[in-house]
């Protein structure tokens, strides 16, 4: 697939709260290779947006299409082969660095693993480990920091080489240096994948092609960072609180 995503008259409520609209998007087109950021306060619908794209839930009304294909007409396994997902808290296994990155594609060569690590800005810290790519990371990755875990997760996603990449709060609990490394990693793969980023930290998404400001399940505003600073008081307040 090419990687465009279309929301068409989508409405969704969670089964336990059917009276509350979790997402209501009449029309949205995310173009192939576009980098889009989802911004908004907690409960705005950002996580729901990701859950519907991956078919963890089905829409109550309307449809979501990838290219021209309604996602509810293909199997979940086929759909998820087209999507790479980096969660807020990535799982690190008690195996070597190379094995952890190969979770993205188990038959990848060492050269492909190293290329993915370089794009994910993980190469430098991996080379500083006692046995480099062969270093065992311990239970839940206890030998590396949170930021380093995130970079390994991004390397996995790069190695998977799916046309759509979803990044869920990838910098939510990182220091400034790690945050900048993640930002660079995202920039390194921009332009050849459709990237959607959930972000509370706006510094990482200032240069997104488009920012969607969500509130109560609806897209209240959209545009570039500079554009939203002019047109959205709520976005501007959020940015000012983060000293942007």
């Amino acid at each position: 697939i090419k990687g465009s995503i279309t929301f068409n008259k989508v409405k969704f409520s969670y089964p336990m709260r059917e009276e509350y609209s979790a997402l209501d998007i009449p029309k949205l087109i995310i173009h192939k290779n576009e980098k889009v950021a989802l911004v908004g306060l907690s409960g705005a619908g950002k996580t729901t947006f990701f859950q519907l794209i991956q078919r963890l839930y089905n829409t109550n009304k309307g449809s979501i299409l990838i290219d021209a294909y309604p996602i509810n007409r293909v199997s979940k396994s086929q759909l998820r082969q087209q999507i790479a997902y980096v969660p807020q808290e990535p799982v690190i296994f008690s195996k070597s660095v190379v094995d952890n990155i190969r979770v993205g594609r188990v038959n990848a060569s060492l050269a492909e693993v190293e290329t993915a690590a370089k794009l994910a800005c993980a190469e430098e810290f991996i080379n500083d480990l006692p046995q480099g790519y062969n270093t065992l990371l311990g239970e839940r990755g206890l030998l590396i920091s949170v930021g380093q875990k995130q970079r390994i997760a991004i390397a996995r996603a790069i190695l998977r080489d799916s046309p759509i990449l979803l990044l869920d709060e990838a910098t939510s609990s990182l220091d400034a240096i790690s945050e900048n490394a993640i930002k660079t990693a995202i920039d390194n793969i921009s332009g050849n994948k459709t990237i959607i980023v959930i972000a509370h930290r706006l510094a990482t998404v200032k240069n997104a092609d488009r920012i969607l400001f969500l509130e109560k399940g609806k897209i209240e505003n959209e545009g570039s960072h500079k554009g939203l600073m002019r047109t959205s008081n709520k976005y501007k307040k959020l940015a000012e609180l983060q000293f942007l």
Side-chain angles (χ1 to χ4, degrees):
I1 67 165
K2 295 178 181 178
S4 67
I5 302 170
T6 302
F7 280 62
N8 186 30
K9 299 179 181 177
V10 168
K11 289 180 182 276
F12 174 75
S13 298
Y14 286 101
M16 299 296 290
R17 297 189 65 189
E18 292 183 358
E19 75 286 353
Y20 173 76
S21 177
L23 209 65
D24 183 357
I25 300 178
K27 190 69 175 179
L28 172 67
I29 298 174
I30 297 173
H31 300 288
K32 166 193 167 187
N33 295 344
E34 187 177 14
K35 180 165 68 173
V36 173
L38 306 181
V39 173
L41 302 178
S42 295
K46 304 183 297 295
T47 299
T48 305
F49 193 102
F50 272 18
Q51 289 174 334
L52 293 183
I53 290 174
Q54 298 174 88
R55 276 192 70 197
L56 298 176
Y57 294 92
N58 289 320
T59 60
N60 299 133
K61 294 182 180 179
S63 59
I64 300 172
L65 293 80
I66 292 182
D67 293 351
Y69 306 104
I71 63 173
N72 63 346
R73 295 186 185 176
V74 298
S75 71
K76 291 180 180 179
S77 62
Q78 284 180 317
L79 171 67
R80 292 169 187 169
Q81 285 172 13
Q82 312 303 323
I83 299 170
Y85 172 63
V86 178
Q88 187 172 346
E89 296 182 10
V91 175
I92 301 296
F93 299 98
S94 184
K95 290 181 172 291
S96 68
V97 174
V98 68
D99 287 336
N100 268 282
I101 295 176
R102 275 195 182 128
V103 169
R105 182 157 49 90
V106 294
N107 60 351
S109 68
L110 179 58
E112 289 172 320
V113 169
E114 291 174 344
T115 298
K118 187 173 182 178
L119 287 170
C121 297
E123 184 181 49
E124 184 176 352
F125 86 79
I126 292 171
N127 288 333
D128 287 339
L129 293 172
Q131 282 85 44
Y133 282 86
N134 294 315
T135 303
L136 297 176
L137 295 180
E139 191 71 28
R140 300 179 68 182
L142 60 88
L143 294 183
I144 55 177
S145 70
V146 174
Q148 290 167 343
K149 291 177 186 178
Q150 284 287 9
R151 281 178 268 173
I152 283 180
I154 292 173
R156 273 181 197 160
I158 293 169
L159 192 65
R160 184 173 172 82
D161 199 26
S162 298
I164 296 170
L165 173 61
L166 306 180
L167 290 156
D168 187 357
E169 295 285 8
T171 62
S172 61
S173 57
L174 305 185
D175 59 79
I177 293 174
S178 295
E179 181 181 347
N180 188 63
I182 300 294
K183 178 178 176 293
T184 302
I186 296 171
D187 290 343
N188 285 344
I189 52 178
S190 296
N192 64 355
K193 294 183 185 300
T194 304
I195 301 174
I196 309 177
V197 185
I198 291 178
H200 278 311
R201 305 267 282 268
L202 301 184
T204 55
V205 297
K206 280 175 68 176
N207 62 345
D209 298 317
R210 191 162 33 134
I211 297 171
L212 308 180
F213 187 84
L214 275 67
E215 187 173 24
K216 296 181 180 178
K218 297 182 178 181
I219 299 172
E220 288 296 314
N221 295 90
E222 63 176 284
S224 66
H225 172 73
K226 288 183 179 179
L228 288 175
M229 288 294 284
R230 293 192 303 269
T231 60
S232 173
N233 288 331
K234 291 179 180 178
Y235 181 87
K236 184 178 180 181
K237 183 178 180 180
L238 195 61
E240 287 173 345
L241 286 170
Q242 297 183 23
F243 305 104
L244 293 182

